[in-house]
């Protein structure tokens, strides 16, 4: 009986650890560089930079950004977006018409009915198809 309990416990732990890996894998965004039409970066000061797929140097930048997104690790933090204008926002326009948005992640604290939000260094919010994922990536953040 004791061996049966141990066996069932091991199977149970194995099953749930595999489920956790599947959930994490489904959360991680995956982009194909061939699917990206252009990347647009808008800054608070009004500057805008556009990176198109058909320009030689800018295509290299698109490849780097796609790689950074695909290798970023999910963050455990709360997905909180600040209502005030952000320092910069990156829009990734796909060839199929979808748009993914990357913006800084915030940690917010409410005290005495006042909410204070601060940007988290090295973390961003990736939004695609109305799904928001908080990612750790110094390269994307920079």
């Amino acid at each position: 009986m004791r061996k049966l309990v141990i066996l069932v416990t091991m199977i149970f732990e194995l099953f749930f650890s595999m489920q956790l890996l599947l959930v994490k894998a489904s959360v991680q965004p995956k982009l194909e560089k061939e699917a990206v039409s252009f990347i647009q970066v808008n800054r608070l000061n009004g500057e805008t930079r556009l990176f198109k797929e058909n320009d030689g140097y800018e295509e290299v930048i698109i490849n780097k950004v796609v790689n950074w997104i695909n290798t970023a690790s999910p963050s455990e933090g709360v997905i909180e977006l600040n209502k005030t204008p952000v320092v910069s926002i990156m829009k990734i326009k796909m060839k199929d018409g979808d748009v993914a948005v990357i913006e800084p992640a915030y940690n917010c604290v409410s005290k005495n009915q006042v909410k204070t939000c601060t940007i988290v260094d090295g973390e961003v919010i990736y939004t695609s198809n109305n799904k928001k994922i908080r990612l750790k990536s110094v390269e994307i953040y920079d």
Side-chain angles (χ1 to χ4, degrees):
M1 182 70 167
R2 186 175 190 185
K3 289 180 183 180
L4 181 63
V5 170
I6 292 172
L7 180 64
V8 169
T9 304
M10 289 176 54
I11 292 172
F12 186 73
E13 288 178 9
L14 180 64
F15 175 74
F16 278 107
S17 65
M18 288 178 69
Q19 290 287 27
L20 183 60
L21 288 173
L22 290 174
V23 168
K24 284 188 177 183
S26 67
V27 170
Q28 182 69 23
K30 290 294 179 196
L31 288 178
E32 299 288 330
K33 61 185 174 188
E34 296 81 17
V36 176
S37 180
F38 65 84
I39 296 176
Q40 181 177 357
V41 179
N42 299 321
R43 298 183 126 302
L44 181 61
N45 63 6
E47 292 178 21
T48 299
R49 179 78 192 265
L50 191 65
F51 300 93
K52 295 182 180 180
E53 67 167 335
N54 54 3
D55 295 337
Y57 176 70
E58 294 175 352
E59 186 177 359
V60 173
I61 299 298
I62 291 172
N63 291 343
K64 283 185 180 184
V65 171
V66 168
N67 184 47
W68 292 337
I69 292 169
N70 290 339
T71 59
S73 58
S75 176
E76 302 272 331
V78 176
I79 295 176
E80 184 103 37
L81 299 174
N82 201 351
K83 305 288 188 263
T84 61
V86 294
V87 177
S88 65
I89 188 169
M90 181 185 302
K91 294 181 182 179
I92 303 170
K93 175 77 173 193
M94 305 298 177
K95 291 179 183 175
D96 65 4
D98 288 343
V99 177
V101 177
I102 298 175
E103 50 196 310
Y106 290 87
N107 282 338
C108 297
V109 178
S110 294
K111 202 174 211 181
N112 298 330
Q113 297 180 345
V114 176
K115 188 175 186 180
T116 306
C117 297
T118 55
I119 293 177
V120 180
D121 192 32
E123 294 191 15
V124 295
I125 304 295
Y126 176 84
T127 306
S128 180
N129 298 324
N130 294 324
K131 293 180 184 175
K132 296 181 185 308
I133 302 168
R134 187 165 172 161
L135 300 173
K136 288 183 185 180
S137 175
V138 174
E139 295 88 358
I140 298 172
Y141 176 82
D142 287 344

